[in-house]
């Protein structure tokens, strides 16, 4: 049907279509059609509208992120569920509320801090240096302009600082930590027996009638897979970049335009001692602290160990344990007053009191790294790649649009698109909806191959993105429809299925019977082991973790279970193991952990984990509070 419309929509038929669609345009106005999506509001947040277009963009980013995380092996139907869409929308609403609160509180990240973060972020580095190519790729993959991407990172940094603030506000007392350690260090004694499912198989008789009955009831399970063989063309940014051969003049012009990027600004290495000044401190108190700072500076100049004084007096908890060392930093990273002083000092100089937003500092300048630049020849290879990528990005966008147009306008062949763009038509082998080898492993490719237009109408697929900056269009060559498999071909498979099912039923029934007998006190695990010919295993002082020889499922249940009475197994429990077998166990003793046995460095690591977890909970409460106090209207019917 779609093919017919596309092929016939020309000549007098096209004019008829134009006249027909002109009627609604005339009645309701053409602008209403073109502006329809722009005006669709999916949510209102304190009177501010969240538009459908923005929601769709975020949905697409979430889909791409999930596809990448699961290597494309994810059911696309999940993305169309209302639950998924509502989750994404709620995240957007929460993010906007947090952003609004950040602006209200006037939290800021300076341009220098942002630049420092971008240069030092491993995601944007290649061989230890900032890579504009990786940065540009990150911008494109997020579907944002460079300024919007930078604003997103800036806001992410501010949110990170707020989250860190919540974490730092958490105070874990020793009693709370000891309780956690006591549980973590707890050990248990228990005994157990295992019942293997295969031991019940000999008691099961599967006949031909059973197999046929199961086959007749489950015929849909025994069909050959729906398979296709397709041809496709691929347009990738990397391939476009390979075609670009810049001349020397273009590269030198690019170098001059971006020379500042190939320059490492001057860096300075300093130590400091920070003395706290209360916001409501009196003039007298400030003079006292300045006097202390002057005394400390004098002692340092006279040879007293600056690092030891920093450890003793500095309130900067992050640097004081390292003797006040701040490492190397560029101009514009620190507080303005601190920054101005440091970059006016001589190497080895110790400053007098310096007042900043954080308190009063004494600064020692340890080293100066002068500004360094790289010559054209040193960065020629890097520039060549960047230039090619920049030019390719523009050409790629144009080619992508042309690819989409030709594939749509010539719906029954890929040849015109391949000829126009210099692309090669490639043929796949047979593959099913589960995928195949090579590009048929990609979920967007598989979904396109089995779409209605491709499978039943014989049309080209839509142009889809199979990975970052890689577009593919395909069309069907052959289709093998599912066929019913014969009973003789699947008889052995069905027999094994029935054996597994019935053995599970038998073992579950046997375990349930034995547990009841143990709870009633009629028997013990030792007696069951002797009667049933099972091995009784005794486990002494077993910890919660670090037991590779024991089933994780068994351990989990052991540490949830009650203790049996002495000489009995009246609190015995059962658990199905990872291999399908069952274990029946009885805890005989609980040995509480001793927090004092935990080394101090381990205690501090656990304290930090606990602090971060509780800080995360506080930040979630902060987000929830913003959400609950906001005036939010969600238009679910627009999702």
């Amino acid at each position: 049907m779609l093919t017919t419309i596309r092929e016939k929509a020309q000549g007098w038929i096209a004019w008829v279509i134009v006249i027909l669609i002109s009627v609604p345009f005339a009645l309701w106005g053409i602008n209403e059609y073109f502006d329809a999506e722009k005006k669709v509001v999916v949510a209102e947040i304190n009177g501010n509208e969240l538009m459908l277009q923005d929601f769709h963009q975020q949905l697409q980013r979430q889909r791409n992120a999930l596809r990448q995380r699961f290597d494309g092996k994810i059911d696309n139907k999940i993305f169309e569920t209302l639950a998924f869409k509502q989750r994404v929308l709620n995240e957007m609403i929460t993010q906007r509320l947090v952003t609004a609160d950040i602006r209200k509180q006037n939290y800021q990240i300076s341009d220098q801090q942002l630049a420092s973060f971008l240069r030092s972020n491993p995601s944007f580095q290649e061989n230890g240096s900032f890579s504009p190519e990786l940065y540009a790729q990150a911008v494109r993959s997020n579907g944002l302009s460079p300024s919007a991407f930078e604003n997103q990172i800036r806001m992410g940094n501010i949110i990170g600082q707020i989250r860190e603030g919540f974490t730092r506000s958490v105070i874990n007392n020793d009693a709370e930590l000891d309780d956690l350690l006591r549980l973590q260090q707890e050990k248990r004694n228990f005994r157990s027996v295992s019942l293997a499912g295969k031991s019940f198989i000999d008691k099961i008789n599967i006949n031909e009638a059973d197999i046929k009955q199961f086959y007749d009831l489950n015929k849909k399970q025994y069909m050959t897979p729906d398979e296709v063989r397709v041809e496709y063309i691929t347009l990738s940014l990397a391939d476009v970049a390979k075609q670009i051969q810049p001349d020397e003049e273009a590269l030198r012009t690019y170098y001059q335009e971006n020379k500042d990027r190939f320059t490492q600004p001057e860096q300075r290495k300093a130590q400091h001692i920070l003395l706290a000044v209360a916001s409501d401190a009196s003039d007298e108190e400030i003079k006292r602290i300045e006097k202390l700072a002057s005394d400390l500076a004098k002692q340092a100049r006279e040879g007293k160990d600056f690092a030891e004084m920093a450890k003793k007096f500095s309130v900067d908890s992050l640097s004081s344990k390292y003797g006040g060392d701040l490492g190397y930093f560029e101009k514009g990273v620190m507080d303005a007053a601190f920054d101005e002083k440091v970059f006016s000092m001589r190497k080895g100089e110790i400053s007098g009191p310096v007042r900043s937003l954080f308190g009063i500092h004494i600064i020692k300048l340890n080293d100066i790294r002068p500004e360094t630049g790289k010559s054209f020849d040193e960065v020629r290879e890097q520039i060549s790649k960047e230039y090619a990528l920049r030019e390719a990005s523009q050409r790629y966008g144009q080619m992508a649009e042309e690819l989409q147009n030709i594939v749509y306008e010539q719906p029954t062949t890929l040849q015109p698109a391949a000829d126009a763009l210099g692309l090669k038509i490639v043929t796949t082998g047979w593959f099913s909806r589960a995928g195949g080898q090579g590009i048929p492993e990609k979920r967007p490719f598989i979904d396109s191959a089995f779409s209605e237009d491709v499978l039943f109408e014989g049309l080209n697929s839509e142009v889809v993105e199979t990975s970052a900056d890689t577009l593919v269009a395909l069309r069907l060559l052959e289709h093998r429809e599912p066929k019913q498999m014969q009973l003789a071909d699947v008889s052995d498979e069905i027999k094994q299925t029935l054996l597994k099912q019935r053995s599970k039923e038998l073992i579950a029934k046997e375990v349930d019977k034995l547990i009841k007998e143990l709870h009633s006190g009629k028997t013990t695990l030792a007696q069951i082991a002797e009667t049933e010919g099972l091995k009784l295993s005794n486990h002494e002082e077993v910890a919660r973790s670090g037991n590779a020889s024991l089933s994780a499922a068994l351990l989990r249940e052991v540490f949830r279970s009650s203790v049996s009475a002495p000489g009995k197994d009246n609190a015995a429990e059962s658990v199905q193991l990872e291999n399908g077998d069952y274990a029946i166990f009885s805890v005989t003793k609980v040995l509480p952990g001793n927090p004092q046995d935990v080394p101090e460095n381990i205690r501090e690591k656990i304290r930090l984990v606990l602090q971060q977890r509780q800080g995360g909970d506080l930040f979630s409460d902060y987000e929830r509070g913003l959400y609950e106090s906001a005036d939010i209207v969600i238009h679910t019917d627009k999702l």
Side-chain angles (χ1 to χ4, degrees), residues 214-258:
F214 186 89
Y215 174 78
D216 290 338
L217 292 173
N218 299 277
K219 279 190 173 182
K220 289 184 179 180
Q221 293 183 24
Y222 300 102
M223 304 284 290
T224 58
D226 201 5
E227 291 184 315
V228 294
R229 198 169 64 87
V230 304
E231 62 180 12
Y232 66 94
I233 52 178
T234 302
L235 174 66
S236 74
L237 180 63
D239 289 341
V240 175
K242 289 176 184 177
Q243 299 171 8
I244 295 174
Q245 301 295 328
D247 57 34
E248 190 75 7
E249 183 180 353
L251 291 180
R252 289 191 177 276
T253 301
Y254 183 86
Y255 173 74
Q256 292 299 327
E257 291 173 348
N258 297 274

Side-chain angles (χ1 to χ4, degrees), residues 13 56 77 92 95 220 310 424 471 494 563 576 582 620:
I13 295 179
H56 279 171
K77 292 179 182 177
M92 290 185 72
Q95 187 178 40
K220 289 184 179 180
K424 181 182 178 182
L471 300 175
I494 292 175
V563 182
Q576 188 172 17
Y582 275 81
S620 296

Side-chain angles (χ1 to χ4, degrees), residues 403-615:
L403 174 64
Q404 290 173 329
N405 291 337
I406 299 175
V407 164
Y408 179 80
E409 292 166 359
Q410 303 287 332
T412 59
T413 174
L414 296 175
Q415 197 63 53
D419 292 342
L421 300 171
L423 305 177
K424 181 182 178 182
I425 297 179
V426 182
T427 301
T428 71
W430 290 98
F431 64 93
S432 69
R433 294 177 190 270
Q437 298 295 318
I439 196 167
E441 289 181 333
K442 305 283 187 181
R443 179 48 58 184
F445 188 91
I446 299 167
D447 292 342
S448 290
F450 287 92
S451 65
E452 183 177 335
D453 282 2
V454 172
L455 202 58
F456 302 115
E457 300 289 344
L459 303 177
N460 295 337
S461 72
E462 292 183 358
V463 176
V464 296
E465 189 174 47
T466 55
S467 57
D469 298 323
T470 302
L471 300 175
V472 172
L474 58 86
R475 67 179 298 273
L476 181 70
L477 292 178
E478 293 182 84
H479 177 207
R480 288 177 182 165
E481 295 188 7
K483 293 182 180 179
Q484 184 68 55
M485 299 173 73
Q486 297 300 310
L487 175 59
D489 296 329
V490 295
S491 178
D492 290 341
E493 181 183 343
I494 292 175
K495 183 175 182 180
Q496 292 304 314
T497 300
L498 288 172
L499 283 172
K500 287 180 181 179
Q501 284 184 358
R502 295 187 185 180
S503 65
K504 283 182 180 179
E505 292 169 3
L506 285 177
I507 191 173
K509 190 179 293 184
E510 178 68 12
V511 167
D512 186 56
K513 178 178 78 73
L514 295 175
I515 288 292
K516 287 178 180 177
E517 292 177 358
L518 290 166
H519 286 177
S520 67
K522 293 180 180 178
T523 187
T524 64
L525 277 175
Q527 292 170 337
I528 288 174
E530 185 178 354
T531 304
E532 303 292 335
L534 304 174
K535 180 184 177 182
L536 178 67
S537 299
N538 289 292
H539 309 276
E540 302 291 330
E541 298 187 10
V542 176
R544 290 178 182 270
S545 59
N547 300 282
S549 60
L550 291 175
S551 158
L554 174 60
L555 280 176
R556 187 168 53 248
E557 294 305 316
V558 163
F559 279 88
R560 290 175 178 173
S561 180
S562 302
V563 182
S564 293
K568 295 186 177 182
D569 295 308
N570 60 318
E573 299 290 348
S574 66
V575 60
Q576 188 172 17
L577 307 178
E578 292 83 354
N579 62 1
D581 294 343
Y582 275 81
I584 300 176
F585 65 90
S586 176
V587 177
T588 57
K589 189 176 182 180
V590 174
L591 298 90
N594 185 356
Q596 306 310 315
D597 292 340
V598 180
E600 188 60 31
N601 64 323
I602 302 298
R603 283 178 65 90
E604 287 308 308
K605 286 182 180 179
I606 295 174
R607 189 194 299 274
L608 180 60
V609 170
L610 192 61
Q611 188 177 20
Q612 289 174 337
R613 185 181 301 165
Q614 292 174 339

Side-chain angles (χ1 to χ4, degrees), residues 291-455:
K291 175 66 168 56
L292 173 60
S294 296
D295 290 344
L296 292 174
K298 182 181 178 183
Q299 292 176 44
R301 293 188 192 108
E302 291 174 350
K304 194 163 183 180
D305 193 315
F306 194 96
E308 289 303 316
M309 287 196 293
K311 290 177 182 178
K312 181 177 180 180
F313 293 101
S314 182
V315 297
D316 180 0
S317 58
L318 287 177
S319 69
S320 62
K321 56 186 175 183
Y322 301 110
D325 187 12
L326 297 170
Y328 285 95
F329 53 89
E330 300 168 9
K331 197 166 188 177
V333 173
M334 299 297 186
D335 173 87
F338 187 100
D339 211 53
E340 183 179 354
K341 184 62 181 176
V342 168
F343 281 85
S344 67
M345 294 170 65
R346 299 183 305 275
K347 182 177 177 180
E349 183 180 350
I350 296 172
S351 75
V354 177
R355 182 74 183 272
S356 80
L357 294 173
F358 303 99
I360 295 176
H361 309 257
I362 306 99
I363 308 167
K364 181 181 179 183
L365 183 62
N366 293 321
D367 194 19
I368 299 174
R369 283 180 178 170
E371 179 182 289
T372 58
K374 293 182 178 180
S375 68
F376 173 79
D377 290 333
E378 287 178 303
V379 294
R380 192 183 193 288
E381 185 177 349
Q382 179 185 346
I383 287 174
S384 182
K385 288 180 180 178
E386 289 181 19
Y387 181 87
L389 188 63
R390 185 185 71 176
E391 296 300 305
S393 295
Q394 297 176 359
R395 192 180 300 180
Y396 177 74
Q398 296 167 355
M399 292 176 72
E401 185 176 356
E402 190 175 356
L403 174 64
Q404 290 173 329
N405 291 337
I406 299 175
V407 164
Y408 179 80
E409 292 166 359
Q410 303 287 332
T412 59
T413 174
L414 296 175
Q415 197 63 53
D419 292 342
L421 300 171
L423 305 177
K424 181 182 178 182
I425 297 179
V426 182
T427 301
T428 71
W430 290 98
F431 64 93
S432 69
R433 294 177 190 270
Q437 298 295 318
I439 196 167
E441 289 181 333
K442 305 283 187 181
R443 179 48 58 184
F445 188 91
I446 299 167
D447 292 342
S448 290
F450 287 92
S451 65
E452 183 177 335
D453 282 2
V454 172
L455 202 58

